[in-house]
Amino acid sequence: MNGGHGTIGLLIDQHRSDAGSDPQQVQVHHYQIRSGAQTIELTSGKPALTSEVRVDEAKGLTDYLAKTRHLA
């Protein structure tokens, strides 16, 4: 099971609500659940501009969701 990205929109929205603007950068963390070992492997992506991770169009969202198995 792979995941990541799911809360990024919520975090950006919360920052926008609190600060009145988007954060300049965000960092995506990917995780893989290893149920046999009862562990979670976490890797961190490089910080990216918020504008690079934002999905503003339906096609972009469809493409993103097609690559995502779980959102957290």
Side-chain angles (χ1 to χ4, degrees):
M1 294 184 224
N2 292 322
H5 317 308
T7 59
I8 197 163
L10 295 173
L11 292 172
I12 292 170
D13 286 345
Q14 186 62 51
H15 183 279
R16 183 184 312 123
S17 177
D18 293 345
S21 63
D22 286 340
Q24 291 183 0
Q25 292 186 328
V26 294
Q27 186 174 19
V28 176
H29 302 274
H30 303 272
Y31 65 90
Q32 184 170 16
I33 299 171
R34 301 196 183 276
S35 56
Q38 296 183 345
T39 60
I40 298 173
E41 179 182 319
L42 180 69
T43 57
S44 299
K46 293 181 180 179
L49 294 175
T50 299
S51 60
E52 292 177 5
V53 298
R54 175 169 281 131
V55 177
D56 290 327
E57 299 175 7
K59 172 141 178 41
L61 179 58
T62 301
D63 292 345
Y64 168 77
L65 291 175
K67 298 183 294 185
T68 303
R69 292 178 57 192
H70 297 277
L71 300 174

